Amino acid sequence: DLQSNTDSPTFAIESYACQRRTPLKHHNASLTEALELLAQNAEFTDNEGRSVAFRRAAAVLKTLPRAVRRLDDLKGLPCLGEHSLRVIKEILEDGVSSEVESTRQSEQYKAMKVLTGIFGVGTKTAERWFREGIRSLADLKTRGGRLNREQQAGLDYYDDLNRPVSKAEAHAIGQIVGEAVRAVLPGAEITLTGGFRRGKEVGHDVDFLITHPEEGKEEGLMPKIVSWLETKGLLLYQKTTRNSYLESKDGPVRPSHNMDRFERCFSIFKLKRTPEVCGTSNQSAGQNDVTEGSDVRQQEVQSEPSDWRAVRVDLVVSPYSQFAFALLGWTGSKLFERELRRWAGQEKSMSLSSHVLYDRAQNRYLRASSEEEIFALLGLEYIPPSQRNA
Ligand code: 8DG
Ligand code: MN
Ligand code: MN
């Protein structure tokens, strides 16, 4: 059954993740978990290049049709650098990698994991706090002061926001958002994006893209959705950013960075726990050490057990003409998106964003009204969402 000791791999693996099919479930979870831990630690220590290298290596292992048993199985595979191979070798031989395990136990990794786990806290802030000696949520609270509104919400709902969102919960949120959208703009369309569109069973949030077939109707939609939701008491937190996509006389401004400029809302929903939403497993987190204490915010803050939970929700509004690009851009995975843009730039002299595809050689924008068309314009085989789990 082990025919892996042949000299050449039985099939070639393409080097960009956007050229390959990457399913959600694969055969090398312990190896990819290890490499992704090192990737995350590299992010924590501000080494983006190294982080991406580990993620690319992990993504290659996810595409393999069977478990890696020996180093020979990896012959001819792309994206496996010296460091990744060393880690894989150690795990194959000893069951664990000493580097991975010592990283996992390190004070910095553990603290950064907790601190970046707070909604609104990125690597930079967490790093600064770490240098100031903060290691835990308790440290952060006793230090006091200087949290912005987003971070305060992140702290208030820490336990809920670090508990996976189920498909049933995502569905329930979808119903609510759908109702809100239909109430404020009949004919508007809402699409589930992010990890759930890729077939994930759980997520850290729920992502939606909203549009209207009549271009222009979608303008200013987000504030209306948000106020509908707020009136119903369904939002614990929201921050709406208006569309900042600049139209010049010559058309849209060329995409220069990855952040898009859609009208969007980063929010925290207050989701009622109904039997349909919870299923049978209504385990609550037990102790909620975040919300203990005696500050005045206590009333607004969650105390368990409760009949609701906090859920992170991302809402994005796109003009109809950019919908395909927005859909592709918000479906992920993050590495898949990154690889698409790298492919476009390096192999095709094009710039891909969540708004447009720009052909630098022809000096023009390429229109598309479906994801399939975008892949075709990029000279790529179409990869469905369920196979974008790089
Ligand atoms: P998860 O929530 O289950 O953890 O996984 P996910 O759904 O894949 O991750 P996500 O963090 O919700 O991101 C979903 C996609 O949205 C991802 O491919 C990247 C994209 N995305 C952001 N922020 C932004 C942004 O500011 N601009 C654009 N264009 N895309 C973004 O998360
Ligand atoms: Mn998501
Ligand atoms: Mn998201």
Side-chain angles (χ1 to χ4, degrees), residues 6-7 12 17 37 52 55 61 78 100 148 204 207 228 246 252 256 261-262 282 296 300 320 325 349 352 382 387 390:
T6 51
D7 279 4
L37 185 142
V52 173
R55 288 198 195 281
L61 300 184
V100 171
N148 64 29
H204 100 282
D207 307 284
W228 189 95
L246 309 169
S256 55
R261 295 123 179 261
F262 291 120
N282 185 8
V296 284
E300 295 164 41
Y320 205 64
F325 296 99
S349 285
L352 175 69
Y382 177 67
Q387 302 294 326

Side-chain angles (χ1 to χ4, degrees), residues 44-99:
F44 289 164
T45 53
D46 214 18
N47 195 335
E48 206 195 348
R50 172 181 284 220
S51 171
V52 173
F54 282 131
R55 288 198 195 281
R56 287 201 190 114
V60 164
L61 300 184
K62 292 178 190 177
T63 67
L64 300 179
R66 55 186 164 259
V68 172
R69 303 277 173 80
R70 59 190 77 163
L71 275 186
D72 252 14
D73 296 349
L74 303 173
K75 263 194 190 154
L77 295 182
C79 305
L80 295 172
E82 194 191 324
H83 198 158
S84 292
L85 284 172
R86 189 171 0 117
V87 171
I88 294 168
K89 179 166 187 278
E90 234 187 317
I91 296 174
L92 293 178
E93 286 171 358
D94 310 336
V96 289
S97 146
S98 54
E99 184 185 359

Side-chain angles (χ1 to χ4, degrees), residues 204-207 312 314 330:
H204 100 282
D205 69 357
V206 196
D207 307 284
R312 272 272 299 114
D314 285 339
W330 280 85

Side-chain angles (χ1 to χ4, degrees), residues 194-195 198 200 203-205 207 259-260 264 330 332 334 354:
R198 301 195 309 275
K200 283 181 69 176
H204 100 282
D205 69 357
D207 307 284
M259 271 306 265
D260 66 54
R264 75 171 73 187
W330 280 85
K334 290 215 170 76
S354 292

Side-chain angles (χ1 to χ4, degrees), residues 9 27 54 62 81 112 123 132 140 158 168 204 206 234 259 264 272 274 286 291 304 313 332 347 356 366 377:
H27 309 281
F54 282 131
K62 292 178 190 177
M112 290 294 287
T123 305
E132 291 170 13
L140 189 60
Y158 185 86
H204 100 282
V206 196
L234 294 167
M259 271 306 265
R264 75 171 73 187
K272 271 255 179 279
T274 63
T291 56
E304 306 241 27
V313 177
E347 306 295 328
V356 290
L366 307 177
L377 288 169

Side-chain angles (χ1 to χ4, degrees), residues 165 193-198 200 202-207 257-262 264 266 312 314 316 325-338 341 353-355 388-389:
V165 180
T193 62
F196 286 109
R197 181 162 184 253
R198 301 195 309 275
K200 283 181 69 176
V202 295
H204 100 282
D205 69 357
V206 196
D207 307 284
H257 51 79
N258 302 334
M259 271 306 265
D260 66 54
R261 295 123 179 261
F262 291 120
R264 75 171 73 187
F266 297 122
R312 272 272 299 114
D314 285 339
V316 180
F325 296 99
L327 182 61
L328 180 58
W330 280 85
T331 297
S333 69
K334 290 215 170 76
L335 182 66
F336 192 90
E337 302 294 337
R338 191 184 180 110
R341 292 191 299 264
S353 76
S354 292
H355 298 277
R388 296 180 202 162
N389 289 291

